[in-house]
Amino acid sequence: MTKNKAVLDWIDEQVKLCKPDKVVWIDGSNEQRDALRAEACSTGELIKLNEQKLPGCYLHRTAKNDVARVESRTFICTETQEEAGNINNWCDPKEMHAKLNALYKDCMVGRTMYVIPYSMCMPESPFAKIGIELTDSIYVVLNMLIMTRAGQKVLDTLGDNPDFVKGLHAKKDIDEENRYIVHFPQENSICSVNSGYGGNVLLGKKCFALRIASYLAHNEGWLAEHMLILGIEYPNGELHYITAAFPSACGKTNLAMLIPPEIFAKQGYKVWCVGDDIAWLRIGPDGRLWAVNPENGFFGVAPGTNVKSNPNALAATRRETIFTNVVHNLEDNTVWWEGLDKNPPKNAENWLGEKWDGSDGTKGAHPNSRFTAMAENCPCISKEFNNPAGVPIDAIIFGGRRAKTAPLVYQSFDWNHGVYVGSAMASETTAAAAGAVGVVRRDPMAMLPFVGYNMGDYWAHWIDMGKKIPNPPKIFNVNWFRTDDNGHFIWPGYGENLRVLLWILGRVAGTVGAVESAIGYLPNPEDINIEGLEDSGITRDVLTGLLSVDKDLWKEDADSVEQFYNKVGDHTPAELRNQLAALRKRLG
Ligand code: OXD
Ligand code: MN
């Protein structure tokens, strides 16, 4: 399929190491995909679902000990530890290669090695980067065919260029003790072993499009970010694009596919999804920041997805989707998960494949069960989704989950202050997760586990980008999660978040004013449209409360930011320490 010597030599080496019985090149054809689906069904790796109700859909179960990303076993192996920084796990590359080579040795005897050439972004886009993943998992192949642009056309685009990201994945024994997800940014390569879970093995996603790409972006002058991209269409047809970064469990996919509340829909407002997880951003010829979604599908969390919370995501999963670790409804050979509806199937198997009907109080789907669905099957996918030039960004939003500290929305004073706001992002743990409730986890730019180099250098790169973008987007912070004295969320969220997004775009356009405060520009309460929210308990007074700032809490938060800066260490840019000092001064 290619004469590219760098590709062929590298594959040769990996074949000698892993010793697969067979090597199969993935060409991207439907015929090959269908044959692999059939093979996976014959071995039990996939279960074919009801073709009438869920055409082209399959169910997969991972091993019980292999259900999520494992940050403790994820490494950034740069030449020096300083380059990886204090936040990443680091190991000397030579030592790590020796360890990995011992694990990979002969690991594919009796198995097939699949060669997946893939492109992050449309191959013809100036943003595009090419990778090749070698894997012994058909599940990985079929997921990569949804999540990336893969096959012969990618090799044709690569030609004899030796510049591609090398990825080697082996399921081996799914042994937790020897599980490794390792990045060698200086070698442009990724190694994954002993896992079959998506985030650890779909190497185009977190490993390439965030960790390796953030390293490349730092060297090449662009940004690789853990951000959704959405477009808001005004009744007059004008379109504006926003990117937003949120820590996990803050409703990112729901925001990316937001349904406008009825009063806005009637007027003709529409929201379009360009991406739900990752954005690559470059300075365009017009001096603005332009974004593409490098992915081709959604690897979304299933539980909680329903016709109310996210009808667009649900619709995207009704065809050509791979479900992982959800409930198998044996009544009609379909799938179910907690929060889909209130009727767990009576005749079903849980994510472990055990007989289950929900009567014993256990969950049927794993809380991190997933759907892998094609972006083009999402009803609100933007017509710019495949535009190689991307979309121009008006505003960047940083968000978090804060019960009391952050107001509903505020605007940063300028770019550097915005970078400070991103660096200070945090989420408070909820009762849904194990451990103490209300513990603040700092998650700068939602990139804590995804920056492929030193966090301090990553922040410095953001500061530097601000100097290079002639016409930068404005930077905002939002918090949908303020609670009342009884711990209930005050703001209704979901589609109603459009009201906040419209205030943000009003600020960008210069059509609404704001109040200067210690933390940034706050809305005048009358500038956020709350018409029709009476039933949700949102009055002007309640909104005023949502926009209030408790200076004592902010002073405490500043201390926590300082501690985090100290942990990142001496690569923390002086500009951010100055921002922190200025904030403290404004707080008094
Ligand atoms: C994801 C994550 O799976 O951020 O998108 O963990
Ligand atoms: Mn993510």
Side-chain angles (χ1 to χ4, degrees):
M1 287 183 37
T2 181
K3 293 201 177 78
N4 185 313
K5 190 164 158 22
V7 171
L8 296 173
D9 287 353
W10 170 68
I11 295 178
D12 238 23
E13 255 176 63
Q14 312 317 307
V15 167
K16 284 193 184 112
L17 177 63
C18 302
K19 301 232 172 58
D21 286 11
K22 238 185 3 179
V23 177
V24 172
W25 289 69
I26 299 304
D27 59 18
S29 69
N30 287 348
E31 294 72 31
Q32 188 185 44
R33 181 201 60 192
D34 293 347
L36 288 170
R37 286 173 167 179
E39 187 179 337
C41 287
S42 74
T43 60
E45 188 175 348
L46 292 183
I47 295 169
K48 167 102 185 95
L49 297 167
N50 186 319
E51 182 61 24
Q52 273 68 50
K53 294 190 174 173
L54 294 170
C57 293
Y58 294 82
L59 170 65
H60 172 78
R61 296 188 182 114
T62 65
K64 191 174 175 177
N65 70 0
D66 189 29
V67 292
R69 288 187 289 103
V70 273
E71 290 172 18
S72 63
R73 306 206 65 92
T74 299
F75 287 78
I76 302 294
C77 296
T78 40
E79 281 304 316
T80 64
Q81 181 159 14
E82 193 177 355
E83 290 165 284
N86 297 335
I87 301 300
N88 286 310
N89 299 314
W90 175 85
C91 175
D92 175 73
K94 278 191 211 66
E95 200 180 305
M96 183 53 91
H97 275 306
K99 193 180 287 189
L100 290 170
N101 284 349
L103 291 169
Y104 283 131
K105 190 170 176 331
D106 301 344
C107 71
M108 293 189 192
V109 172
R111 302 185 187 189
T112 300
M113 175 189 275
Y114 299 94
V115 180
I116 316 169
Y118 65 96
S119 173
M120 299 315 290
C121 299
M122 303 56 70
E124 65 275 24
S125 166
F127 290 71
K129 297 263 177 205
I130 287 176
I132 298 183
E133 176 164 357
L134 308 179
T135 178
D136 55 358
S137 159
I138 297 182
Y139 171 76
V140 168
V141 173
L142 295 174
N143 273 274
M144 288 291 283
L145 286 171
I146 296 173
M147 295 303 296
T148 72
R149 283 92 175 168
Q152 180 64 49
K153 61 181 183 290
V154 176
L155 288 175
D156 296 343
T157 306
L158 186 64
D160 51 18
N161 187 345
D163 185 17
F164 64 98
V165 174
K166 307 172 184 77
L168 175 60
H169 164 247
K171 285 184 290 186
K172 202 168 160 81
D173 312 309
I174 314 289
D175 168 10
E176 285 172 278
E177 302 301 316
N178 282 300
R179 183 168 298 156
Y180 287 96
I181 322 299
V182 186
H183 308 74
F184 301 94
Q186 288 144 339
E187 299 169 23
N188 230 6
S189 81
I190 307 160
C191 292
S192 166
V193 65
N194 273 312
S195 175
Y197 168 75
N200 299 327
V201 300
L202 308 180
L203 300 185
K205 193 174 179 62
K206 304 297 188 184
C207 299
F208 178 168
L210 288 177
R211 298 194 190 97
I212 295 288
S214 63
Y215 177 85
L216 296 173
H218 175 252
N219 292 345
E220 298 170 2
W222 51 285
L223 294 164
E225 298 299 326
H226 192 195
M227 289 177 171
L228 64 88
I229 311 166
L230 66 78
I232 296 179
E233 185 176 334
Y234 281 70
N236 67 4
E238 219 177 277
L239 269 155
H240 293 276
Y241 295 92
I242 289 174
T243 60
F246 290 87
S248 60
C250 290
K252 201 163 140 205
T253 304
N254 295 343
L255 184 64
M257 300 176 189
L258 181 151
I259 304 264
E262 204 172 312
I263 63 156
F264 291 92
K266 269 205 221 129
Q267 293 171 53
Y269 283 94
K270 297 189 180 105
V271 174
W272 302 104
C273 173
V274 183
D276 77 324
D277 196 38
I278 298 176
W280 284 2
L281 302 123
R282 285 179 185 266
I283 304 168
D286 60 354
R288 301 173 72 189
L289 197 58
W290 288 66
V292 294
N293 170 8
E295 300 190 282
N296 193 43
F298 308 120
F299 183 63
V301 175
T305 306
N306 60 50
V307 278
K308 271 227 164 101
S309 67
N310 196 335
N312 285 310
L314 192 64
T317 67
R318 298 299 92 180
R319 56 179 58 247
E320 304 297 329
T321 294
I322 301 173
F323 297 94
T324 303
N325 291 344
V326 297
V327 172
H328 189 191
N329 181 350
L330 299 173
E331 276 156 42
D332 60 355
N333 192 24
T334 58
V335 289
W336 188 86
W337 50 76
E338 278 70 20
L340 176 64
D341 55 43
K342 295 204 166 73
N343 311 307
K346 291 280 162 295
N347 177 20
E349 282 172 354
N350 66 11
W351 69 276
L352 294 161
E354 300 160 345
K355 201 92 193 87
W356 179 90
D357 62 9
S359 60
D360 63 355
T362 60
K363 288 206 181 350
H366 188 277
N368 191 32
S369 54
R370 298 277 175 154
F371 55 80
T372 317
M374 284 159 69
E376 68 183 47
N377 288 335
C378 178
C380 68
I381 196 71
S382 163
K383 65 180 187 327
E384 305 298 342
F385 172 70
N386 279 315
N387 186 337
V391 293
I393 299 303
D394 276 340
I396 294 174
I397 298 177
F398 294 121
R401 175 186 283 269
R402 304 304 298 266
K404 302 284 175 213
T405 315
L408 181 62
V409 59
Y410 66 97
Q411 181 184 357
S412 66
F413 293 121
D414 54 27
W415 180 270
N416 278 7
H417 179 229
V419 178
Y420 169 81
V421 170
S423 79
M425 262 173 70
S427 215
E428 282 155 23
T429 50
T430 64
V437 174
V439 175
V440 176
R441 171 180 145 117
R442 304 237 75 99
D443 189 356
M445 284 82 171
M447 285 286 280
L448 186 76
F450 304 123
V451 177
Y453 58 107
N454 190 310
M455 180 67 80
D457 295 342
Y458 165 75
W459 288 334
H461 178 52
W462 263 87
I463 300 276
D464 196 42
M465 285 296 289
K467 295 182 194 134
K468 291 184 180 147
I469 310 169
N471 193 0
K474 303 271 188 287
I475 303 181
F476 297 80
N477 190 270
V478 301
N479 176 30
W480 316 132
F481 301 99
R482 273 237 189 154
T483 54
D484 62 19
D485 293 341
N486 300 317
H488 297 130
F489 295 128
I490 302 170
W491 180 250
Y494 296 100
E496 310 301 349
N497 292 335
L498 180 62
R499 299 165 190 269
V500 174
L501 302 185
L502 291 176
W503 180 80
I504 287 173
L505 289 180
R507 287 296 293 161
V508 172
T511 53
V512 284
V515 187
E516 191 168 336
S517 80
I519 65 162
Y521 296 115
L522 286 163
N524 290 302
E526 60 277 15
D527 286 335
I528 294 182
N529 181 343
I530 55 168
E531 189 190 331
L533 285 186
E534 301 76 20
D535 290 352
S536 309
I538 302 294
T539 60
R540 217 32 90 197
D541 282 350
V542 171
L543 182 62
T544 303
L546 279 168
L547 297 170
S548 65
V549 172
D550 179 329
K551 287 194 174 171
D552 290 332
L553 287 178
W554 275 80
K555 286 179 197 167
E556 268 173 45
D557 202 56
D559 295 344
S560 148
V561 173
E562 183 177 15
Q563 278 166 22
F564 191 75
Y565 282 1
N566 291 343
K567 189 168 164 199
V568 169
D570 55 12
H571 285 236
T572 300
E575 287 89 341
L576 291 189
R577 296 232 182 234
N578 294 343
Q579 287 290 336
L580 177 61
L583 169 66
R584 279 177 160 151
K585 198 160 158 215
R586 291 192 302 267
L587 290 167

